[in-house]
């Protein structure tokens, strides 16, 4: 079931132009940055977007410019987990690594304590109306989200066609607090 949903969403992603995805990403960024939870956050963790995801590159740059402490996921492959790595400049601090994901350069990982994070911006293949999230199937984000403080808010970003009525939910699947789409 989950694999079929992933396949269907990937097909829809392929049919949307880069221009359309860029336009929708700008709307989503505007919505996120106007959320009270974002305005009040001191430390924000963003995912570093892949080509088929809501673009977070401008969000990261703007949040840094605004004076927010920004961190991004760092994959610890041998432990199959994520940590939050602080960055000061997206261009200088990141390089392409595991799964083609940009992460802090080797030797420049400055781990941010989970209890310091106010807001985590979460990727997903799909979300449903109850904020259940369907990821890529590796479980990294679910393990990470389950270790966050109760006060830390999580917001999923999605294109409108990635939000469905209902997703299957396993016991280890962690819903996000809110989903923003356009």
């Amino acid at each position: 079931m989950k694999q079929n949903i992933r396949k269907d969403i990937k097909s829809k992603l392929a049919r949307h132009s880069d221009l359309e995805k860029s336009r929708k990403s700008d709307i989503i960024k505007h919505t996120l940055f106007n959320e009270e939870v974002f305005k009040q956050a001191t430390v924000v963790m963003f995912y570093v977007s892949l080509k088929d995801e809501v673009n977070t590159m401008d969000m990261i740059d703007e949040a840094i410019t605004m004076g927010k402490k920004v961190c991004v996921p760092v994959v610890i492959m041998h432990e199959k987990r994520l940590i939050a790595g602080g960055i000061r400049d997206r261009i200088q601090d990141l390089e392409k690594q595991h799964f083609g994901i940009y992460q802090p350069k080797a030797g420049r990982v400055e781990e941010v304590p989970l209890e310091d994070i106010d807001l985590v911006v979460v990727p997903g293949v799909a979300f449903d109306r109850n904020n259940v999230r369907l990821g890529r199937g590796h479980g990294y984000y679910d393990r990470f989200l389950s270790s966050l403080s109760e006060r830390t808010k999580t917001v999923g970003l999605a294109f409108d066609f990635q939000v469905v009525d209902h997703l299957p939910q396993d016991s280890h699947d962690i819903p996000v607090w809110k989903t923003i789409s356009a």
Side-chain angles (χ1 to χ4, degrees):
M1 177 87 174
K2 287 183 175 184
Q3 281 305 100
N4 290 341
I5 296 167
R6 285 185 185 100
K7 188 176 176 182
D8 180 52
I9 296 294
K10 283 182 188 272
S11 171
K12 290 177 181 176
L13 278 164
R15 290 194 301 265
H16 278 69
S17 71
D18 289 345
L19 183 63
E20 183 68 7
K21 288 186 268 195
S22 177
R23 188 184 68 75
K24 289 181 177 186
S25 290
D26 287 345
I27 293 167
I28 291 166
K29 174 185 149 201
H30 180 77
T31 303
L32 173 65
F33 279 45
N34 282 301
E35 288 281 335
E36 204 55 42
V37 69
F38 179 83
K39 289 178 183 177
Q40 292 182 5
T42 303
V43 181
V44 181
M45 181 172 172
F46 287 95
Y47 65 92
V48 182
S49 54
L50 297 170
K51 186 175 177 1
D52 63 347
E53 295 175 321
V54 172
N55 186 342
T56 60
M57 301 303 188
D58 291 341
M59 296 179 201
I60 291 168
D61 293 342
E62 192 169 325
I64 290 170
T65 300
M66 293 168 76
K68 294 193 182 290
K69 181 167 185 172
V70 172
C71 50
V72 298
V74 177
V75 176
I76 308 297
M77 287 293 285
H78 65 281
E79 297 178 23
K80 290 194 174 243
R81 70 182 185 101
L82 299 177
I83 63 169
I87 62 169
R88 291 183 178 84
D89 182 292
R90 177 179 59 87
I91 305 296
Q92 291 183 10
D93 292 348
L94 300 179
E95 68 183 5
K96 196 178 275 193
Q97 295 184 30
H98 312 294
F99 308 118
I101 297 169
Y102 282 87
Q103 297 186 159
K105 292 176 181 173
R108 292 180 83 163
V109 176
E110 179 185 314
E111 187 171 355
V112 175
L114 297 182
E115 60 272 10
D116 291 357
I117 303 172
D118 301 305
L119 174 65
V120 178
V121 178
V122 184
V125 173
F127 296 88
D128 73 12
R129 308 261 177 238
N130 295 314
N131 298 312
V132 172
R133 175 186 161 275
L134 177 66
R136 294 185 182 268
H138 301 289
Y140 283 90
Y141 262 94
D142 287 316
R143 286 189 289 278
F144 180 80
L145 295 174
S146 71
S147 65
L148 291 174
S149 160
E150 294 240 345
R151 73 165 194 83
T152 303
K153 299 296 184 211
T154 56
V155 175
L157 302 184
F159 298 116
D160 51 7
F161 58 86
Q162 291 178 281
V163 179
V164 299
D165 288 333
H166 177 75
L167 288 171
Q169 185 178 10
D170 296 325
S171 60
H172 61 270
D173 292 335
I174 307 293
V176 292
W177 174 71
K178 183 175 192 165
T179 303
I180 296 174
S181 66

